[in-house]
Amino acid sequence: MKRSRDRAASELFAALYPRLAGWCRRLVDDDETAHEIASEAFTRLWARWNRVEEPRGFLYVTAANLVRDHWRKLERERRAMRRATTEAAVNAHTEQADPSVRLLVQSLPERLRTPILLHYYADMPIREVSVLTGRKEGTVKADLHAARELLRVHLRRSLDHTL
């Protein structure tokens, strides 16, 4: 029993780790942090192995939460640095004008950000996003539409400020 459990876990790791780590890499823009997040997601899965029905979904939702925590930590560090320097006004203006899609996705409310991360960055179909988030497919579609509209407005505003 333990041997088959270990084999299943090993096969799952071999099948999913590279893609999960790559997905995290695109979100955090750092190899080491991406591997730490992917490894932590697997560690949390192993701790709950017998209670998790959808390991792939569990891994991606856990990694998305860890990415969000990483972004929050970076934002706290950025705010501390801005307060510590006399160039706070220049830095704030530069950050506002940055049209980076990653920063824009990061700025979305969590209700909209999670479906965007799962659907567009993890290539999950709407049905799977619906199951993982506990929302109806129609709600997921509406959230994706609302998120795209917000991103479009923010991107247009950011580009207007840079011209």
Side-chain angles (χ1 to χ4, degrees):
M1 181 74 161
K2 181 175 176 0
R3 188 179 304 265
S4 66
R5 178 185 178 264
D6 289 346
R7 187 174 346 158
S10 180
E11 289 171 4
L12 184 75
F13 183 83
L16 296 181
Y17 184 84
R19 189 166 183 185
L20 180 67
W23 179 70
C24 292
R25 169 67 174 88
R26 288 191 306 274
L27 295 173
V28 299
D29 201 29
D30 177 65
D31 284 334
E32 186 176 336
T33 303
H35 284 287
E36 286 175 12
I37 289 172
S39 297
E40 179 63 22
F42 270 96
T43 300
R44 291 180 185 191
L45 173 64
W46 303 150
R48 295 164 184 79
W49 184 251
N50 293 327
R51 297 185 308 263
V52 174
E53 291 182 29
E54 288 290 331
R56 180 177 182 259
F58 179 89
L59 287 168
Y60 276 91
V61 169
T62 300
N65 289 335
L66 292 168
V67 166
R68 182 195 64 224
D69 293 345
H70 172 74
W71 286 345
R72 286 179 177 164
K73 179 184 174 208
L74 289 178
E75 184 55 34
R76 284 191 303 270
E77 290 171 357
R78 274 191 222 117
R79 280 197 303 263
M81 287 299 291
R82 280 195 301 264
R83 281 193 301 267
T85 65
T86 57
E87 302 172 37
V90 173
N91 290 342
H93 176 71
T94 302
E95 186 171 312
Q96 271 182 336
D98 185 354
S100 164
V101 174
R102 185 173 56 93
L103 290 174
L104 294 175
V105 169
Q106 198 175 324
S107 72
L108 289 172
E110 184 174 353
R111 176 182 68 81
L112 302 177
R113 184 176 55 242
T114 299
I116 287 283
L117 291 174
L118 295 175
H119 183 66
Y120 291 108
Y121 288 85
D123 295 325
M124 290 185 183
I126 289 175
R127 180 182 305 131
E128 194 169 348
V129 174
S130 170
V131 169
L132 293 174
T133 60
R135 299 178 192 152
K136 295 180 179 178
E137 285 185 39
T139 304
V140 170
K141 289 177 184 177
D143 287 346
L144 287 170
H145 175 74
R148 285 190 306 267
E149 288 303 312
L150 271 175
L151 291 171
R152 189 174 292 122
V153 166
H154 287 306
L155 186 59
R156 193 171 291 134
R157 190 177 311 137
S158 293
L159 290 174
D160 288 346
H161 280 61
T162 59
L163 298 180

